[in-house]
Amino acid sequence: MTGVQHQAPDTQVAIELRGVNKWYGEFHVLRNIDLTVHRGERIVICGPSGSGKSTMIRCINRLEEHQQGRIVVDGVELTSNLKDIDAVRRDVGMVFQSFNLFPHLTVLENCTLAPIWVKKMPKAEAERVAMRYLERVRIPEQANKYPGQLSGGQQQRVAIARSLCMSPKIMLFDEPTSALDPEMVKEVLDTMVSLAQEGMTMLCVTHEMGFARQVADRVIFMDRGEIVEQAPPQEFFANPRSERTRLFLSQILGH
Amino acid sequence: MAETGTAPGATPVARPPALAVGPLGWLRTNLFSSWGNTLLTLLILWGLWRVVPPLFDWLVTSSLVNVASSQECRGAGGACWAFVAEKWRFIIFGTYPADEQWRPSLAVALIIGMMLFSTWRGAWRPWLGLVWLGGTAVVLALLWGGFLGMTYVSNELWGGLPLTLLLTVIGLGAAFPLAVLLALGRRSDLPAVKAICVGFIELVRGVPLISILFMASVMFPLFMPAGVTVDKLLRAQIGLILFAAAYQAEVVRGGLQAIPKGQYEAADSLGLSYWQKMRKIILPQALALVIPPMVNTFISFLKDTSLVIIIGLFDLLSAAKAALTDPAWRGFYKEAYLFAGLIYFFFCFFMSRYSQRLEVELNRSRRR
């Protein structure tokens, strides 16, 4: 706050959170969050429910507003400036726990809506792009169905394709497999793994520890609004440093 | 029959007991399933027996259509359709000059034509609004005249069905977009916008339509500078629009609130602007959800237009009433109101049926 200008933005940094605080009323949901995410980094965030992990990633595309501290995404600081918010949202894709597909639009229309209206892409091109991503998530044959006609796993893959159609630089996943039937978890995780292997910058709130081991560069453990611990997966799972992390891991891996 | 026979060795097809299926079974399960239901069924049958035959007799058997004078009807025990035969033109067209009644006829045909055209979903494009604007302009021009050899007819003389339809169509056409804006405004984050919308909606909903029409007709001119006059019909129309908009706004708000938060968040996260989000994501879903209550307000609005009688406009119902003031035909209330009621019913029933079809079509995407 001393007015000192920061050095030229580090082009290797995709997301930077500095001293971020947020309250819901009296409830302190995010406490002094400091986090730097580099380009191409894959981060898995875990922690007990109510620990603030979803709130944190929702602050990154301003679905939630932080009240203190700085959040810089791809060189743009999130303030109440609507232009900046729109710029960040164009570059940041998000996948939700409950899919949030648009039920009145077909799968293809779900995927082409934002490219056509936000990026002003011609319809034919948007459809070509959409079909490419639908093929990538392996459901091109469902393009003309409505979301309600698909299974949960298929819907979540459409949601991923819908985000990818905007060519985001960063993808946020908010418990993408938590609402799925067990037999559908794998198809969604497979899609996310292949995305990770292509070098997408990813922040993923999930309890799928297998996924974390396989693709994460870093695992972050949050509890009561704080980042308690962060480490590469091998170290995180083998030698958790804090007692809270050990307790959490024993609870989710214990049986 | 041979095809359906049971194969040797297979379990023979069991038939349900005769009393469980067929007309007898239906009667048993639906009308005589218990003592209470049997009693109700008999009571209703008796009631129908008491009501239907006399009604039929009055409506059809004893009714009179061709009479030399109204005196013949007075002594008869049936409906005097001769009254309608004599007065239908007055009821439908009000005080519009008799020689020029092809003009309001054409106007009504135009309005009905546009309504039918709008039921076709292929016409749901931005240009449909222009069709309605242009069509309404033609309707107004037809009614006013004063060009192409058509004599000028002051709108003081307009009346009957064309007036009712005109008030309804312009009223709903203007109120609906206003209602959507009011509903969005009421949910706005901007305190000033929100306060204005809430204030307007609560104020207008809080007073009877009659007082709004009185305000429009009696009080409004008092606020105007001397010499400025706004046509009475226009003032009534504006009053009706504001009234309908306040009610519809609350219906639309109900729809907006039914849309899950995730839809807003998904639209936001894709970078859609507020208006894109509303137009493409939220409103299409919200409006499809509120078709039943919305049609409810449409139907009651059509009938509410009959209140313009209190400020001296001759809509369909007022014209029916006025037809009764002819000394020769005084007293045939039932026939007059039945006739007018039938016309109202025709339009309301059409809206109701169409809305049911629309509901099925628009919610098809939600099926699982």
Side-chain angles (χ1 to χ4, degrees):
Chain A
M1 299 299 128
T2 50
V4 176
Q5 193 57 47
H6 285 262
Q7 65 274 32
D10 182 347
T11 50
Q12 287 312 301
V13 173
I15 304 169
E16 184 159 37
L17 283 78
R18 283 287 159 265
V20 172
N21 276 285
K22 178 174 174 63
W23 290 262
Y24 286 132
E26 289 290 300
F27 181 61
H28 201 167
V29 61
L30 293 179
R31 301 167 188 247
N32 294 317
I33 301 283
D34 286 312
L35 176 69
T36 304
V37 180
H38 295 275
R39 274 185 210 294
E41 219 182 347
R42 277 104 35 174
I43 292 182
V44 164
I45 303 160
C46 60
S49 65
S51 59
K53 48 198 193 311
S54 286
T55 307
M56 183 177 82
I57 70 165
R58 286 159 61 87
C59 282
I60 291 170
N61 67 349
R62 194 72 169 193
L63 288 184
E64 306 274 355
E65 209 171 308
H66 61 288
Q67 287 141 351
Q68 236 175 49
R70 274 163 52 92
I71 299 180
V72 182
V73 181
D74 202 30
V76 179
E77 174 163 7
L78 283 171
T79 59
S80 49
N81 182 331
L82 292 176
K83 267 215 176 81
D84 287 350
I85 294 173
D86 281 343
V88 166
R89 284 174 176 169
R90 270 198 297 277
D91 282 347
V92 179
M94 185 162 208
V95 175
F96 300 86
Q97 178 176 356
S98 48
F99 327 137
N100 295 347
L101 293 177
F102 306 131
H104 62 303
L105 301 177
T106 64
V107 164
L108 188 64
E109 288 165 342
N110 263 278
C111 292
T112 56
L113 184 92
I116 289 173
W117 289 92
V118 179
K119 289 196 154 178
K120 312 291 177 207
M121 198 185 273
K123 191 173 174 219
E125 193 189 338
E127 286 180 351
R128 215 170 47 240
V129 171
M131 283 314 292
R132 203 171 73 221
Y133 284 112
L134 287 173
E135 272 158 34
R136 260 198 54 183
V137 301
R138 300 190 313 284
I139 35 176
E141 71 282 0
Q142 313 283 9
N144 293 313
K145 288 195 182 165
Y146 287 95
Q149 296 168 284
L150 306 186
S151 73
Q154 289 173 324
Q155 290 194 47
Q156 194 60 298
R157 284 185 282 150
V158 171
I160 293 172
R162 177 176 70 178
S163 283
L164 293 177
C165 284
M166 289 294 283
S167 319
K169 295 179 183 158
I170 299 163
M171 284 288 285
L172 308 174
F173 293 85
D174 189 1
E175 306 207 26
T177 57
S178 301
L180 294 176
D181 291 332
E183 75 271 22
M184 292 168 184
V185 169
K186 186 174 178 302
E187 62 187 63
V188 171
L189 287 181
D190 285 348
T191 308
M192 290 166 61
V193 169
S194 79
L195 198 58
Q197 282 161 353
E198 282 160 38
M200 175 67 76
T201 309
M202 288 167 68
L203 266 80
C204 186
V205 174
T206 183
H207 292 149
E208 296 292 337
M209 291 300 132
F211 174 77
R213 281 208 178 88
Q214 192 182 347
V215 304
D217 297 309
R218 210 178 344 153
V219 180
I220 291 177
F221 174 69
M222 285 183 75
D223 191 20
R224 289 174 229 159
E226 288 173 315
I227 293 182
V228 176
E229 185 160 349
Q230 42 182 320
Q234 296 81 3
E235 199 184 321
F236 181 83
F237 291 110
N239 298 310
R241 273 167 299 174
S242 95
E243 188 52 41
R244 281 194 267 176
T245 315
R246 267 196 289 276
L247 183 67
F248 176 73
L249 285 177
S250 74
Q251 276 163 348
I252 63 164
L253 300 174
H255 46 91
Chain B
M1 281 307 278
E3 298 285 315
T4 57
T6 46
T11 322
V13 178
R15 299 201 49 95
L19 274 180
V21 292
L24 270 181
W26 186 89
L27 278 177
R28 234 169 84 106
T29 47
N30 290 293
L31 299 179
F32 301 101
S33 57
S34 68
W35 277 113
N37 275 353
T38 307
L39 199 68
L40 261 178
T41 302
L42 294 176
L43 216 69
I44 289 167
L45 282 176
W46 176 76
L48 287 174
W49 173 246
R50 290 299 305 262
V51 169
V52 173
L55 193 64
F56 185 79
D57 179 62
W58 185 80
L59 282 171
V60 182
T61 323
S62 307
S63 71
L64 293 170
V65 180
N66 292 310
V67 291
S69 86
S70 59
Q71 282 313 315
E72 273 183 57
C73 277
R74 303 260 174 222
C80 182
W81 297 128
F83 166 79
V84 174
E86 172 79 17
K87 292 290 182 189
W88 69 270
R89 283 169 73 111
F90 183 79
I91 295 176
I92 289 188
F93 298 116
T95 46
Y96 206 90
D99 298 341
E100 301 287 331
Q101 282 176 358
W102 63 272
R103 282 155 56 182
S105 307
L106 195 58
V108 167
L110 254 172
I111 292 176
I112 294 178
M114 287 193 292
M115 278 164 65
L116 290 176
F117 179 67
S118 308
T119 60
W120 173 52
R121 279 184 75 195
W124 290 13
R125 304 265 163 226
W127 50 256
L128 185 62
L130 295 178
V131 170
W132 275 98
L133 272 182
T136 311
V138 172
V139 165
L140 290 173
L142 260 175
L143 290 175
W144 260 307
F147 63 98
L148 288 180
M150 293 188 283
T151 52
Y152 172 76
V153 178
S154 153
N155 60 23
E156 315 257 296
L157 296 173
W158 299 3
L161 184 62
L163 185 66
T164 292
L165 286 183
L166 205 60
L167 286 170
T168 305
V169 160
I170 297 180
L172 292 178
F176 185 69
L178 186 60
V180 170
L181 292 178
L182 282 168
L184 292 176
R186 187 162 189 171
R187 286 170 60 83
S188 168
D189 295 330
L190 308 169
V193 173
K194 185 173 178 166
I196 290 171
C197 292
V198 172
F200 174 84
I201 292 170
E202 296 303 337
L203 185 73
V204 174
R205 278 202 313 168
V207 288
L209 176 56
I210 291 192
S211 54
I212 291 178
L213 290 174
F214 265 129
M215 290 271 283
S217 124
V218 182
M219 306 235 337
F220 179 75
L222 301 180
F223 297 118
M224 288 289 105
V228 177
T229 54
V230 180
D231 183 73
K232 183 162 82 173
L233 182 59
L234 181 61
R235 277 181 270 143
Q237 179 74 77
I238 291 172
L240 285 169
I241 290 172
L242 298 182
F243 184 76
Y247 274 87
Q248 290 177 14
E250 288 297 278
V251 172
V252 174
R253 185 166 72 97
L256 292 175
Q257 280 173 346
I259 303 301
K261 208 167 142 238
Q263 294 289 307
Y264 292 85
E265 290 179 348
D268 284 341
S269 75
L270 287 168
L272 294 173
S273 71
Y274 175 81
W275 290 108
Q276 287 170 339
K277 172 172 69 178
M278 288 303 163
R279 215 181 109 206
K280 293 285 161 186
I281 308 299
I282 306 301
L283 283 174
Q285 296 184 66
L287 295 180
L289 277 178
V290 297
I291 289 173
M294 188 56 89
V295 171
N296 206 20
T297 64
F298 279 25
I299 287 176
S300 62
F301 183 75
L302 168 65
K303 293 177 293 177
D304 282 348
T305 56
S306 58
L307 284 173
V308 295
I309 189 175
I310 59 143
I311 55 169
L313 294 173
F314 272 82
D315 75 307
L316 181 58
L317 193 65
S318 331
K321 225 176 206 166
L324 290 164
T325 57
D326 181 342
W329 294 96
R330 220 165 254 175
F332 295 105
Y333 302 105
K334 290 176 225 151
E335 292 82 350
Y337 288 130
L338 261 177
F339 180 62
L342 212 62
I343 297 175
Y344 279 109
F345 177 79
F346 171 79
F347 285 99
C348 294
F349 190 64
F350 166 78
M351 281 200 263
S352 165
R353 295 303 304 189
Y354 174 65
S355 79
Q356 282 169 19
R357 208 186 83 199
L358 198 60
E359 226 179 297
V360 172
E361 276 179 25
L362 290 184
N363 289 323
R364 193 163 285 165
S365 61
R366 294 181 164 266
R367 74 180 163 203
R368 295 248 154 200

